[in-house]
Amino acid sequence: MQRISAKILLGVAVFLAVIFQANTLQAQDAAKLFKANCASCHKPTDQKLIGPGLKGIRSRWPDEAKLIAWIKNSTEFLKTGDAYANKLFEEYGRSVMPAQNLSDAEIIALIDWTDKGGDAPASAAGDGAAKADGAGAGAGATETSSDSYLYILIIVGFVLLVLINVLNSVKSSLESLVNEKKGIITEPEPIRTPTEKFRIWASNNKKIVAVISLFLVIWVLKQGWDGLMGIGVYQGYAPEQPIKFSHKLHAGDNQIACVYCHSGVEKSKHANIPSANVCMNCHMYIQEGPQYGKEEIGKIYAALDYNPETRTYGPNQKPIQWIRVHSLPDHAYFNHSQHVAVGKIECTSCHGPIDSMEVVQQHSPLTMGWCIDCHRKTEVDKDNKYYEELHKQFVNDPKYKKGDKFTIGSLGGLECSKCHY
Amino acid sequence: MKKLIQIVFPVSAVLCGLALLSSCKSDPLSPGLEYMPDMYRGPAYETYGESPFNENGSAMKPVARTIPRFNAETLPFHETYPFPNTNEGYELAGVQVKNPYPVSPEFLEKGKKIYNNFCVHCHGEKGDGNGILVQRDKYAGVPSYYGASIKDLPEGKMYHTIYYGKNMMGSHAAQINFAERWEVIEYVKKLRNDGLGISSDSSAAKTDTTAAAAATASITK
């Protein structure tokens, strides 16, 4: 009896395993098929794209033969006068679902797969969360490294203080013990306030006091000087933006070229902040983010008065008010195309590692000294035909010494009027 | 011993004070102190600045008596692209819109640069519809240029699609200008020929000059 039941169990297990394998194979195939043929217009969830979301499609099409006919050639099927299909066609603004060159078996696999909502997108979400954690940990690590020096100093100071107190009290009790043994009765010390003690100590140790006050004065001066030099320098400024747009996610992880969004950078003075229609090139499809879900991307839709359900734009459009990070004063002229298109300078040499920033931060000081420094050091691209004449002039100049570098400065990049209107 | 204690005590006290004072960090949310703020925030309207001229806050204000480019009367003369964003417009564009520029290796080189900045993350380096966004499963449904559905696509339809967008592909007219659109289309055609195994020299050589002239007449930059 037992043997038989074991055999049955084994048989069932093998059967189940085979079925499961077949099922997963089918699911994979269906996922692939879906990606290749349907994904540009449908999602396997409730979400609408060009066509309706296909989750629970069986409940909408009780007759599978009709559904297969529809998918094979929707235009032909519409001609049969099917009421539901024609209503759907009107509802989707008469956009045509192209005929699909698939076998019945493939279509049934597709229907099975989409009916239950495709593969659960859990993996993607987990991925994002893990990454977010990683980023958090990374940021924390860098912070501690810059602050740890201070904390160590504070702790060392504290330990020294405690040690001194303990030593002092041990010493005085030892002294009084010794004195007692010797039979000397010392007069109890007069009680003094800490300030009195300090004054007495200071008058006994004039040299130490002098050295310390010198250090203090120097330190205060240095702080004051740094403070004054920092006025008008925004280095490190990283304001919170109205939409939590992450360069790390877009330009870093997804490797979108800077120029895709900052499309003026090679043509004009300004790099351009993209308008919301550029965001929509991708976010028409990507309606949920890994970290903030629909909330932050929803703000793009709100700015455009866009309804992702009907895919229509409303009349109440408002520009997104990004907060400006880099800003030169009005009296200075800076041109991106000169530096990026002609000078072939990478964005990162001025803006720092933007593609790993969650929030844009001003990386460089943008002071006049910073501009001049680079103009003094950087050599001009001599292959640029435009500068041939200038280079000749430079070499023929009587002041020219062999080995002098043909820098931006030699072009006139240090002249006040090049940068100041 | 006493001396040592006398030195160590005040020095450590000062160290503590220093450490506490300098630990006040500057706040990244504030730009910091400004000296003569009006140099940074001058009265002139700056790019991206807000202004009261237009309802949407834009500071663009045409000089008096300039002729608007987009307006019912001037449309026939200034309309940059005459085909409407409809299925009929798409079909018409396929027949009538032609590249007005001669194709040279430099032209294709420029197209490659545009492609790698504006299209590659969806369409993939080889134009197989397998860009980084598709590989990372963020985006789907990008066709291969040499796939069955669009391998015979005429350049006019490509132009129409870049100009208005099509289904899930958005309009890229705001990002790339007239010449750049043709540069990238020629590069797309080269990718397609590479994918189909057709030598691309022949297609570059057979630019039809008469068609090009006709097209320049109908499409003004």
Side-chain angles (χ1 to χ4, degrees):
Chain A
M1 186 62 201
Q2 271 205 334
R3 258 201 206 150
I4 295 173
S5 64
K7 263 188 191 165
I8 292 176
L9 265 179
L10 195 73
V12 169
V14 168
F15 180 70
L16 276 179
V18 168
I19 284 195
F20 258 83
Q21 205 162 11
N23 254 348
T24 48
L25 265 182
Q26 247 176 8
Q28 272 171 9
D29 285 348
K32 245 188 228 149
L33 275 174
F34 187 83
K35 227 173 154 183
N37 296 299
C38 325
S40 56
C41 302
H42 295 288
K43 279 215 167 179
T45 58
D46 291 330
Q47 188 186 322
K48 282 184 196 174
L49 288 179
I50 309 292
L54 294 184
K55 191 175 173 187
I57 186 65
R58 280 229 159 83
S59 62
R60 279 173 275 168
W61 293 75
D63 185 350
E64 193 173 277
K66 274 190 181 173
L67 180 51
I68 294 174
W70 161 268
I71 293 173
K72 275 196 167 155
N73 193 334
S74 72
T75 335
E76 284 300 313
F77 186 78
L78 282 173
K79 286 185 195 143
T80 64
D82 185 272
Y84 172 76
N86 275 293
K87 199 179 122 260
L88 196 71
F89 184 59
E90 293 300 330
E91 195 183 311
Y92 281 84
R94 308 182 68 82
S95 46
V96 180
M97 165 161 154
Q100 302 292 331
N101 189 12
L102 298 170
S103 70
D104 280 10
E106 283 171 328
I107 291 181
I108 291 171
L110 268 175
I111 296 173
D112 285 342
W113 186 75
T114 53
D115 189 50
K116 63 179 168 58
D119 301 324
S123 65
D127 194 38
K131 236 179 252 134
D133 278 348
T142 51
E143 227 163 75
T144 40
S145 76
S146 70
D147 279 356
S148 57
Y149 182 57
L150 282 180
Y151 290 129
I152 289 174
L153 270 184
I154 292 175
I155 290 168
V156 167
F158 185 74
V159 167
L160 279 178
L161 270 180
V162 170
L163 213 73
I164 286 159
N165 262 353
V166 170
L167 280 177
N168 255 344
S169 59
V170 167
K171 198 186 87 183
S172 61
S173 54
L174 275 179
E175 248 169 30
S176 58
L177 257 178
V178 169
N179 285 350
E180 244 171 63
K181 274 217 172 142
K182 283 185 183 165
I184 305 169
I185 301 154
T186 44
E187 264 178 52
E189 280 197 16
I191 299 160
R192 293 190 176 114
T193 59
T195 32
E196 274 174 329
K197 275 190 194 162
F198 180 74
R199 207 176 297 146
I200 290 170
W201 173 83
S203 62
N204 289 341
N205 301 280
K206 292 218 171 70
K207 273 186 197 154
I208 294 175
V209 172
V211 168
I212 290 171
S213 17
L214 190 69
F215 273 118
L216 265 179
V217 167
I218 291 176
W219 179 71
V220 166
L221 281 179
K222 166 102 174 60
Q223 287 289 308
W225 176 258
D226 282 356
L228 287 176
M229 291 310 279
I231 291 178
V233 176
Y234 292 3
Q235 197 167 16
Y237 180 37
E240 207 170 293
Q241 300 286 351
I243 297 179
K244 291 196 178 61
F245 174 82
S246 159
H247 278 77
K248 180 171 177 294
L249 184 67
H250 288 85
D253 298 349
N254 288 304
Q255 297 169 26
I256 304 166
C258 309
V259 189
Y260 189 80
C261 293
H262 303 294
S263 53
V265 80
E266 296 194 334
K267 295 177 199 150
S268 79
K269 177 178 185 297
H270 284 286
N272 287 5
I273 298 296
S275 55
N277 74 305
V278 173
C279 312
M280 288 307 282
N281 284 348
C282 294
H283 287 292
M284 212 160 28
Y285 186 87
I286 302 164
Q287 307 190 346
E288 242 173 274
Q291 244 187 78
Y292 308 106
K294 295 197 168 174
E295 189 193 335
E296 294 295 323
I297 294 174
K299 290 184 190 164
I300 309 175
Y301 299 161
L304 286 167
D305 200 3
Y306 174 79
N307 182 345
E309 283 297 309
T310 56
R311 300 186 68 240
T312 48
Y313 295 91
N316 299 319
Q317 305 191 352
K318 277 198 268 359
I320 303 168
Q321 293 199 320
W322 301 107
I323 294 170
R324 181 151 193 172
V325 186
H326 299 75
S327 180
L328 288 177
D330 250 10
H331 56 71
Y333 172 83
F334 175 83
N335 189 324
H336 270 98
S337 63
Q338 174 95 50
H339 290 86
V340 176
V342 185
K344 305 256 180 310
I345 302 180
E346 298 285 327
C347 313
T348 43
S349 48
C350 297
H351 292 297
I354 291 270
D355 57 6
S356 58
M357 292 182 194
E358 286 287 342
V359 178
V360 178
Q361 190 188 51
Q362 181 173 321
H363 173 81
S364 304
L366 301 198
T367 54
M368 178 166 150
W370 174 74
C371 309
I372 297 276
D373 221 37
C374 179
H375 285 191
R376 282 218 178 100
K377 278 190 208 135
T378 314
E379 287 189 64
V380 180
D381 176 14
K382 289 199 201 81
D383 295 337
N384 190 338
K385 294 246 166 43
Y386 188 78
Y387 292 132
E388 224 166 306
E389 249 342 279
L390 277 167
H391 186 234
K392 261 188 219 139
Q393 271 180 29
F394 173 70
V395 177
N396 293 335
D397 192 305
K399 271 187 268 168
Y400 174 78
K401 285 195 286 307
K402 207 159 188 266
D404 274 3
K405 282 182 182 161
F406 186 47
T407 59
I408 315 303
S410 0
L411 286 184
L414 303 179
E415 274 165 33
C416 317
S417 58
K418 285 272 166 86
C419 306
H420 294 294
Y421 308 91
Chain B
M1 186 67 194
K2 202 171 177 188
K3 267 270 152 67
L4 190 71
I5 289 170
Q6 274 175 343
I7 296 173
V8 168
F9 178 74
V11 167
S12 52
V14 167
L15 275 179
C16 283
L18 275 182
L20 279 177
L21 267 174
S22 54
S23 67
C24 316
K25 268 201 308 190
S26 57
D27 179 9
L29 294 183
S30 125
L33 288 175
E34 259 173 34
Y35 151 82
M36 298 213 184
D38 54 348
M39 289 278 188
Y40 289 85
R41 284 150 237 285
Y45 292 108
E46 287 213 44
T47 325
Y48 321 118
E50 208 176 352
S51 88
F53 302 146
N54 295 307
E55 225 174 284
N56 65 4
S58 149
M60 284 197 286
K61 188 184 177 190
V63 178
R65 296 202 200 88
T66 39
I67 301 170
R69 267 162 74 95
F70 300 104
N71 138 332
E73 287 159 45
T74 55
L75 201 63
F77 309 107
H78 297 281
E79 170 62 298
T80 50
Y81 185 68
F83 302 99
N85 185 11
T86 58
N87 281 340
E88 293 75 42
Y90 179 68
E91 294 301 329
L92 264 175
V95 184
Q96 296 186 10
V97 178
K98 291 279 173 337
N99 177 10
Y101 296 100
V103 181
S104 61
E106 293 85 61
F107 196 76
L108 284 174
E109 200 50 44
K110 283 191 204 157
K112 181 175 181 182
K113 197 167 162 225
I114 302 292
Y115 185 84
N116 284 339
N117 278 337
F118 292 94
C119 323
V120 76
H121 49 274
C122 292
H123 284 282
E125 213 163 320
K126 298 205 175 71
D128 51 5
N130 203 12
I132 183 94
L133 290 181
V134 180
Q135 281 170 29
R136 301 187 77 229
D137 244 344
K138 306 294 179 202
Y139 201 90
V142 187
S144 160
Y145 291 135
Y146 37 94
S149 56
I150 57 171
K151 74 176 166 33
D152 299 318
L153 199 70
E155 57 188 20
K157 285 190 180 175
M158 291 189 191
Y159 188 90
H160 194 90
T161 296
I162 295 175
Y163 193 84
Y164 287 119
K166 184 182 177 222
N167 292 340
M168 267 302 140
M169 174 169 155
S171 161
H172 285 69
Q175 285 145 286
I176 55 179
N177 63 26
F178 183 80
E180 288 169 340
R181 283 171 220 153
W182 285 113
E183 284 160 14
V184 75
I185 286 173
E186 289 302 332
Y187 185 70
V188 165
K189 279 159 69 183
K190 178 181 172 296
L191 286 178
R192 180 167 71 186
N193 287 341
D194 289 351
L196 292 171
I198 304 170
S199 155
S200 42
D201 300 336
S202 57
S203 77
K206 72 162 205 286
T207 324
D208 187 340
T209 41
T210 48
T216 10
S218 66
I219 311 164
T220 42
K221 192 175 168 191

